[in-house]
Amino acid sequence: MHPAYSVIFFTTASGAGYGMLVWLAILAATNAVSPSLASGVTIFVVALGLITSGLLSSTFHLGHPERAWRALSQWRSSWLSREGIAAIVTYIPALLFALGWIVFASVDGNWRIVGLITGLMALVTVACTGMIYASLKAIPRWTDATVVPIYLAFALSSGGALIITVLAILGPLTSQWAWLVALATALAWALKLLYWHRIDNAAPVATAESATGLGHLGTVRQLEAPHSGENYIMREMGFQIARKHAARLRMIALLFGGAIPILAFIVAGFVGGPALMIVALAGLAGTVVGVLLERWLFFAEAQHAAMLFYGAKAV
Amino acid sequence: MTSLPQQTSAQQPGLVIDLDICVGCHACAVNCKEWNTGGHSAPLTDEEPYGADPLGVWFNRIHTYEAGDGAEGQTVHFPRSCLHCEEPACVTVCPTGASYKREADGIVLVNADSCIGCKLCSWACPYGAREYDHSDGVMKKCTLCIERIENQNLPEIDRVPACVSTCPASARHFGDLGDPNSDISQLVQERGGYDLMPEMGMKPVNKYLPPRAQPASLAPSPTPTSTAATEPGGTGSPFLDWVDRTLSR
């Protein structure tokens, strides 16, 4: 699939924002932070800013952005519609949560419940994002059972990296939270390695023979394409990445998004002062590179069944 | 409403494409383009049609495949368009309700006034049947020529999709595939008509008729019979040899 930058930015940015909200809810529920003005403003501005800019960027690739509101109407059947509704609904508890944290400096009582609802809605929204892809039978590898958990785990990994960085700079950061984020990051990449292993070894779901129904004659190959140039389908679905390039990019993604942040956040639990800020920023930088690469590969490596008509052997 | 109709409609107009007959002339694709650029989803925009990298919206595209090897191999011309599936994923993924399956006859259409151009329907279609119009910013697809097949002003013989009316070899058939007794359903039955990629679970309505087995007399003979005439000096006359070589090119 063509890796469109607007979709990569949307899924990673909003994922990180929702991940932050989940961590915030957990921090509030466990009394792990005392709500301060500085940390509150910073964290909520970053989280809601990422979510909002992600949602806006997802409308950039629409043919008619002015009609985007219509996308909220088909929640009965469409995961994209469900995601849109979940994203908008999440703003309500999230803004209340921010109000309690920033204005009333409280995460107790009802504010805590509001926080938990925020975290839950953030998870629901990210799961809907994952389901948009996981529900597409035409891209068989995306229907893998790990896809939705991976979207959730990477939201927690990237959102966690942001929270740790903010707390390392502004507020008290206790060791176990840095280690928990390291754990979430390890979980995300373990799932990703599992996904890569599974897509590399999956049996083909459809072949050029089943697509054309000519398999009884023997191997099917395209002799002539319908036209000398490309078409929309070939540009949108026909993106291909060489296997050796993909393998190298996977390793780079794993190094930056996995190894560096895990190491950095483990170390962050032991150090303080300027050293803490440096390792936290290093962990965040690695996460950004790794998650963007991971998402790019998610699209670039995906093969669409329609390409079976255009020379692909199997998907 | 992008939820699918509760009941399968009694009527199911669709196409049956005879791969044994199709000669790969592309006339159906050309007439489809010609008709539909003024039809329900008009226009079918072309971008840089005379440029180095032309791109355009077509509802019908003709591939040519080779199947099998050697003497058993066949060249098969293969027209492709929307299959108007019974369970079309392109409809259920649509977030706006612009994509819909008509309750009365199951034809899958796009309402260009409410399409936001998110392209998700084209991702959901395993057959690559939907094409995005970059200049209109909406998705377009085969309409089964609804403005022809329902047009009471046309003589009955012309109430067929443009691709069917133009096929010079009669490789395309149009009719009610929901009625097991219709001519077209009988044809599917007789010839073993099949679904493309049934494993995708979309239950396409359109059917394809497989190429017939080649009679032994038509199979290419293993040894060429005209080697004598084409070998140098085969006729004994340099002029005739030259003529032979020239004509044999």
Side-chain angles (χ1 to χ4, degrees), chain A residues 174-289:
Chain A
T174 42
S175 311
Q176 70 260 36
W177 292 103
W179 293 337
L180 260 181
V181 171
L183 189 68
T185 305
L187 175 72
W189 287 95
L191 282 168
K192 194 76 222 187
L193 285 171
L194 180 64
Y195 171 78
W196 284 335
H197 175 76
R198 287 166 66 121
I199 66 169
D200 288 347
N201 296 290
V205 168
T207 61
E209 287 73 31
S210 73
T212 57
L214 299 172
H216 63 283
L217 299 170
T219 313
V220 173
R221 33 194 195 280
Q222 186 173 239
L223 180 65
E224 272 192 289
H227 33 77
S228 54
E230 285 195 309
N231 63 23
Y232 162 73
I233 295 291
M234 296 165 78
R235 287 191 186 175
E236 187 80 1
M237 326 292 174
F239 186 91
Q240 275 204 318
I241 174 166
R243 204 164 252 264
K244 63 175 183 186
H245 291 159
R248 187 167 298 170
L249 287 172
R250 283 178 182 184
M251 285 306 111
I252 296 171
L254 184 61
L255 174 71
F256 277 91
I260 292 176
I262 291 169
L263 194 67
F265 294 140
I266 289 174
V267 173
F270 293 108
V271 297
L276 173 62
M277 285 186 211
I278 290 168
V279 288
L281 280 168
L284 178 63
T287 303
V288 170
V289 174

Side-chain angles (χ1 to χ4, degrees), chain A residues 1 61-64 67-68 70-74 76-78 80-81 132-133 136-140 142 205-207 210-214 216-227 230-233 235-237 299 304-306 308-310, chain B residues 1-3 19 26 53-55 61-69 74-76 78 80 92-97 112-120 122-128 130-132 134 136-139 194 196-197 199-200 202 211:
Chain A
M1 299 295 293
H61 81 289
L62 296 181
H64 284 277
R67 298 176 185 166
R70 290 182 182 274
L72 304 175
S73 65
Q74 302 303 309
R76 284 184 193 82
S77 70
S78 166
L80 179 50
S81 200
I132 294 174
Y133 305 109
L136 298 176
K137 288 184 196 163
I139 304 156
W142 282 359
V205 168
T207 61
S210 73
T212 57
L214 299 172
H216 63 283
L217 299 170
T219 313
V220 173
R221 33 194 195 280
Q222 186 173 239
L223 180 65
E224 272 192 289
H227 33 77
E230 285 195 309
N231 63 23
Y232 162 73
I233 295 291
R235 287 191 186 175
E236 187 80 1
M237 326 292 174
F299 291 98
H304 194 285
L308 295 171
F309 295 106
Y310 290 92
Chain B
M1 178 59 73
T2 55
S3 298
L19 298 176
H26 292 240
D53 197 14
L55 191 76
R61 295 186 185 260
I62 321 304
H63 300 246
T64 301
Y65 297 106
E66 282 181 320
D69 294 293
Q74 287 198 40
T75 302
V76 181
F78 202 99
R80 285 199 315 112
T92 51
V93 300
C94 175
T96 68
D113 291 332
S114 53
C115 174
I116 57 173
C118 72
K119 310 188 188 103
L120 188 59
S122 68
W123 289 22
C125 171
Y127 303 104
R130 290 179 165 239
E131 301 211 1
Y132 183 69
H134 291 272
D136 277 6
V138 296
M139 195 58 74
Y194 63 88
L196 305 187
M197 259 193 286
E199 62 273 28
M200 286 290 159
M202 312 279 157

Side-chain angles (χ1 to χ4, degrees), chain A residues 11-29 33 38-53 90 94 97-98 101 107 114-123 125-126 151-170 177 181 184 265 284 287-288:
Chain A
T11 59
T12 53
S14 68
Y18 288 122
M20 286 180 83
L21 294 181
V22 175
W23 284 109
L24 275 189
I26 299 171
L27 286 167
V33 285
S39 66
V41 168
T42 313
I43 290 172
F44 278 103
V45 164
V46 171
L48 294 176
L50 282 169
I51 291 168
T52 307
S53 58
T90 305
F97 191 26
W101 191 305
V107 289
V114 164
L116 287 173
I117 294 171
T118 305
L120 190 68
M121 280 309 299
L123 288 173
T125 309
V126 175
Y151 269 84
L152 290 167
F154 275 95
L156 290 178
S157 166
S158 52
L162 281 160
I163 292 273
I164 293 302
T165 308
V166 173
L167 291 183
I169 295 168
L170 289 180
W177 292 103
V181 171
F265 294 140
L284 178 63
T287 303
V288 170

Side-chain angles (χ1 to χ4, degrees), chain B:
Chain B
M1 178 59 73
T2 55
S3 298
L4 297 176
Q6 293 290 308
Q7 289 170 327
T8 318
S9 50
Q11 270 197 338
Q12 245 167 32
L15 297 171
V16 168
I17 293 164
D18 192 338
L19 298 176
D20 193 62
I21 292 179
C22 177
V23 294
C25 70
H26 292 240
C28 55
V30 173
N31 203 36
C32 167
K33 177 91 169 172
E34 158 73 20
W35 177 269
N36 280 293
T37 204
H40 179 80
S41 296
L44 302 199
T45 317
D46 287 323
E47 292 167 46
E48 293 192 63
Y50 305 104
D53 197 14
L55 191 76
V57 181
W58 293 69
F59 294 163
N60 188 12
R61 295 186 185 260
I62 321 304
H63 300 246
T64 301
Y65 297 106
E66 282 181 320
D69 294 293
E72 303 299 317
Q74 287 198 40
T75 302
V76 181
H77 303 293
F78 202 99
R80 285 199 315 112
S81 55
C82 170
L83 307 171
H84 296 278
C85 301
E86 270 180 58
E87 291 182 16
C90 58
V91 169
T92 51
V93 300
C94 175
T96 68
S99 274
Y100 61 104
K101 186 169 174 67
R102 291 210 299 199
E103 204 139 349
D105 54 16
I107 295 178
V108 177
L109 295 171
V110 178
N111 178 359
D113 291 332
S114 53
C115 174
I116 57 173
C118 72
K119 310 188 188 103
L120 188 59
C121 56
S122 68
W123 289 22
C125 171
Y127 303 104
R130 290 179 165 239
E131 301 211 1
Y132 183 69
D133 187 326
H134 291 272
S135 66
D136 277 6
V138 296
M139 195 58 74
K140 299 187 173 179
K141 68 178 292 300
C142 163
T143 65
L144 219 55
C145 289
I146 46 167
E147 65 288 303
R148 284 176 70 104
I149 61 176
E150 293 171 343
N151 191 338
Q152 300 299 316
N153 296 316
L154 290 176
E156 202 170 340
I157 195 172
D158 286 334
R159 287 180 216 157
V160 295
C163 56
V164 174
S165 75
T166 204
C167 179
S170 295
R172 304 181 71 99
H173 305 270
F174 171 72
D176 185 4
L177 284 158
D179 172 7
N181 296 316
S182 66
D183 288 351
I184 193 170
S185 294
Q186 294 293 317
L187 184 65
V188 170
Q189 195 113 77
E190 278 165 34
R191 292 280 308 283
Y194 63 88
D195 291 348
L196 305 187
M197 259 193 286
E199 62 273 28
M200 286 290 159
M202 312 279 157
K203 297 190 188 161
V205 168
N206 287 7
K207 301 283 182 272
Y208 283 74
L209 305 181
R212 290 182 173 91
Q214 289 190 30
S217 58
L218 282 181
S221 66
T223 47
T225 49
S226 60
T227 41
T230 54
E231 269 164 21
T235 63
S237 153
F239 173 71
L240 287 179
D241 283 345
W242 173 78
V243 170
D244 185 55
R245 279 201 306 279
T246 310
L247 293 177
S248 302
R249 258 174 215 163

